[in-house]
Amino acid sequence: MKKKLMMVAVLLGALSLGACVDDNETQSVTDVRNAKAEQLQARADMNNAEAEAQKIQADAEAALMVAKAEAQKAAAAKAKAETETIQKRAELVELQKEAANLQNEAAKIENKRKQVELETALANLEVAKKEAEQDLAEIAARMELMAQNNQIELLKLQKRLANAKKDLVDYDKQLAAAATQAEKDKLAAEQLKLKRLSNKYFQAVGTLIEAQNTLAGSKATLAGLESGLISGKAAKEKAIAENNNTISMYEMRIAKYKEYTNYKTDEEILTLTNKEEELGKQQDVLYDKYLDLALALNNVQTNTDAKYEAQQAVYADVFYRWAVNKVITVKDKDGEDVDYDFYNYPLNQLRDYVPNRDWNASGNYYKEYSFESGEHEASTGYGDSLVCKFTKPTEDVRRVELAVNDFVSQYDGYKKSEADMMKKEQANYNGKATAYYIIRYESWGTWLEEMASTVITRNAVDSTAYLKNVYEKEANAAKKATYKSQYEDALAVELKLKEQIENREGNVDYYTNIIAALNAFYDLYAKYDTYEAALQKKIDARNDEDVKAYADAVAAWKVERTAYWAYIDVQTELDAIDLVLNGGNGNTGAESLASTISSFEATIARLQKENEDFSFVQTAEDAIKQYNLLIDAQEAIVKAKEIAVADAKADLDAVMPAEE
């Protein structure tokens, strides 16, 4: 009995053991299948990330074209307002010259009416110009934000791509399930091959994104040039700085590649294989660190409020407004600012004595920051530096004084004449005068002065009041009609006199302000050096605030560059080792290495030629021409990078494990 029980127990034990073995075997198969499914998912994630990167670039270009069209429309509105302003200012000058010689009162009134009409039109044009400038500023800010947001999204996608690449070459589960060393060796070889090809694809996508970013940046600069958002000088500096950064990077790569030109023996090749594996581990860590710092750099907040306030102080400076805007501001009798520019008489007669801004040595220059670390160097622009240089007039100050005094004397005479006439008209209006004025309606604007035949020895206000009282109290219909007619005439006279007094008062104020502007002009000329030095202090303060505003961004950029160079050094070595070990396109490793070095040298030569061409750029039109050529060349580079991505993708797909 005991024997039978024991046999049953042994049998059950054997069955249990068999079940356990089957379960373990099934689990191993499941683990391998899941691992391969995860690899396929990682491959799909890489494809998706690449596709999304291309969509971001395409959407960014479409948005850029919309912004460009809006900017060109605003720039056209600004140019139209400026052109019409010049025309109407010229018309106003002619009217002002004509007014000085008019004697006929009606002609003076008509001349003044036309001047007011032109001044109103000029004010409206100034508003239109300001609105167009505001539109351009908003579009520029929007374009900058678009570029920043696109960069952030691309960095996030590159991180996704990197994570997917890691998942793709994760063979831990398959290696754990391998029953023999031969299987492990086979899986390790698969992993190494997949790692190389996934890295090649990953790098190809990265260089494509980089090439597309360069193209997008050039197109954005061109859009800015064509709509007046960016000066030719700024665009020139940007292109040369970016080319120099790229040249520096290619020079570093050439130097690294040349270190690997003498690996030939099996022992040396084995050393490289081991080094490749070690560098691959470093690369993953360094790339993650770089991407995190690149995202942090793009998220740095910049406060330019203090810079803006300091810049407004520059624009409000009397010397700046005189030399750059060709405007002098004086206070009127109410303490309000009144501007007089040098397109209007008589200030336009003094234009030869106004300093001119030296545009070849002036402008808003990109504030360039340089950073070096070992064999690496880079530069970038954050903010800008305002530079104002002027061509100082050379006329002897005494001659300028004589010219100014002649105009002051002339306008002082005009002012006195207007004041005297106003005094007389004021007396006629509500003072002690006894003259009576009527207006001849059939010839509007012509005045007839005559003594009244009735008892009207009062001023205009009193006459109107007297006749109104008589008219209202008269009962006789015939007399009432006569008094009504006289009252209406008297009322017209009173109102016309009031209007004329207001015109005289406006003229007196105008001549007073012109005299103040003339004296201010002379003061600026006589104390040129003092005023220019005061302006320079304000410019220096503005530039100092610019440096402070971007201090955090510059610091973050240096940290980001350091991380990038650490990553790129490892990646460059990996690229060189890959060429030595695997060659490519039917070439040996040495041939592939030499060919790549040659292509880098050709790229450097091309960029140096671009810099030479840009060195001749003087105007926005020159810069537009060069950027169009640059864009054509960069589009060809992007197409070549797209082909490289497609080839790398095909090579990777060819070795992907089949789904079971």
Side-chain angles (χ1 to χ4, degrees), residues 411-460:
Y411 277 80
D412 202 41
Y414 294 159
K415 177 182 174 181
K416 186 177 183 303
S417 175
E418 286 293 299
D420 288 345
M421 289 296 294
M422 184 170 66
K423 185 178 179 181
K424 179 182 177 182
E425 288 163 356
Q426 190 71 52
N428 289 336
Y429 177 67
N430 63 355
K432 295 182 179 180
T434 56
Y436 176 54
Y437 289 80
I438 64 171
I439 185 167
R440 189 189 302 237
Y441 292 103
E442 65 271 21
S443 177
W444 184 88
T446 301
W447 292 89
L448 177 65
E449 183 179 344
E450 60 181 30
M451 295 301 297
S453 56
T454 57
V455 188
I456 304 178
T457 56
R458 304 172 181 83
N459 61 46

Side-chain angles (χ1 to χ4, degrees), residues 23 141 183 213 236 290 314 382 416 472 491 545 549:
D23 284 346
E183 289 176 355
N213 276 342
K236 166 185 174 178
Y290 156 64
V314 171
Y382 280 104
K416 186 177 183 303
E472 289 176 344
L491 181 59
E545 290 298 339

Side-chain angles (χ1 to χ4, degrees), residues 23 35 79 203 222 237 401 470 480 634:
D23 284 346
Q203 286 300 115
L222 178 61
E237 291 172 353
E401 183 180 24
V470 171
K480 190 175 184 71
Q634 190 62 28

Side-chain angles (χ1 to χ4, degrees), residues 207-397:
T207 55
L208 172 59
I209 290 173
E210 184 180 315
Q212 289 172 324
N213 276 342
T214 300
L215 178 61
S218 296
K219 286 183 176 180
T221 302
L222 178 61
L225 278 166
E226 291 176 335
S227 50
L229 295 172
I230 302 173
S231 69
K233 188 184 291 283
K236 166 185 174 178
E237 291 172 353
K238 183 173 183 287
I240 292 174
E242 288 177 353
N243 282 350
N244 285 339
N245 286 340
T246 306
I247 288 169
S248 174
M249 187 57 66
Y250 275 114
E251 286 174 342
M252 181 278 297
R253 287 177 178 170
I254 289 171
K256 289 282 185 187
Y257 277 30
K258 285 182 176 179
E259 293 176 7
Y260 288 87
T261 53
N262 295 319
Y263 284 80
K264 296 177 182 177
T265 67
D266 291 344
E267 185 177 343
E268 288 172 336
I269 295 300
L270 179 60
T271 301
L272 281 187
T273 303
N274 294 334
K275 188 174 183 179
E276 180 183 36
E277 185 174 353
E278 182 60 34
L279 288 175
K281 295 175 183 176
Q282 291 181 31
Q283 179 209 36
D284 290 341
V285 175
L286 292 170
Y287 190 71
D288 283 344
K289 183 178 180 182
Y290 156 64
L291 280 179
D292 288 342
L293 290 170
L295 285 166
L297 170 60
N298 276 281
N299 289 325
V300 170
Q301 297 297 313
T302 301
N303 187 336
T304 57
D305 290 349
K307 169 191 169 182
Y308 177 79
E309 289 180 11
Q311 185 158 298
Q312 295 308 112
V314 171
Y315 294 159
D317 181 83
V318 291
F319 185 91
Y320 184 92
R321 288 172 61 76
W322 177 51
V324 177
N325 299 335
K326 302 296 184 281
V327 168
I328 285 181
T329 302
V330 298
K331 296 286 185 184
D332 65 12
K333 64 182 182 182
D334 298 320
E336 300 292 330
D337 286 342
V338 182
D339 292 341
Y340 292 97
D341 62 42
F342 289 86
Y343 296 96
N344 290 325
Y345 188 87
L347 291 175
N348 64 344
Q349 302 301 303
L350 302 172
R351 279 185 67 91
D352 290 344
Y353 308 138
V354 181
N356 288 313
R357 191 175 186 183
D358 182 358
W359 287 102
N360 290 324
S362 300
N364 288 75
Y365 294 82
Y366 279 114
K367 182 68 178 176
E368 190 171 345
Y369 293 87
S370 297
F371 182 50
E372 294 184 18
S373 177
E375 59 193 346
H376 296 285
E377 59 180 306
S379 62
T380 190
Y382 280 104
D384 57 17
S385 290
L386 177 62
V387 178
C388 289
K389 300 295 181 184
F390 303 96
T391 303
K392 185 177 180 179
T394 57
E395 188 62 71
D396 188 284
V397 67

Side-chain angles (χ1 to χ4, degrees), residues 545-560:
E545 290 298 339
D546 180 272
V547 172
K548 293 176 188 175
Y550 292 99
D552 289 345
V554 172
W557 169 72
K558 290 180 179 179
V559 172
E560 181 264 358

Side-chain angles (χ1 to χ4, degrees), residues 178-219:
T180 66
Q181 187 59 43
E183 289 176 355
K184 289 181 185 293
D185 291 343
K186 181 185 175 185
L187 287 168
E190 276 181 19
Q191 183 185 35
L192 180 60
K193 190 169 187 179
L194 198 60
K195 188 178 289 186
R196 284 175 178 164
L197 291 174
S198 64
N199 191 54
K200 180 182 175 184
Y201 172 60
F202 172 75
Q203 286 300 115
V205 173
T207 55
L208 172 59
I209 290 173
E210 184 180 315
Q212 289 172 324
N213 276 342
T214 300
L215 178 61
S218 296
K219 286 183 176 180

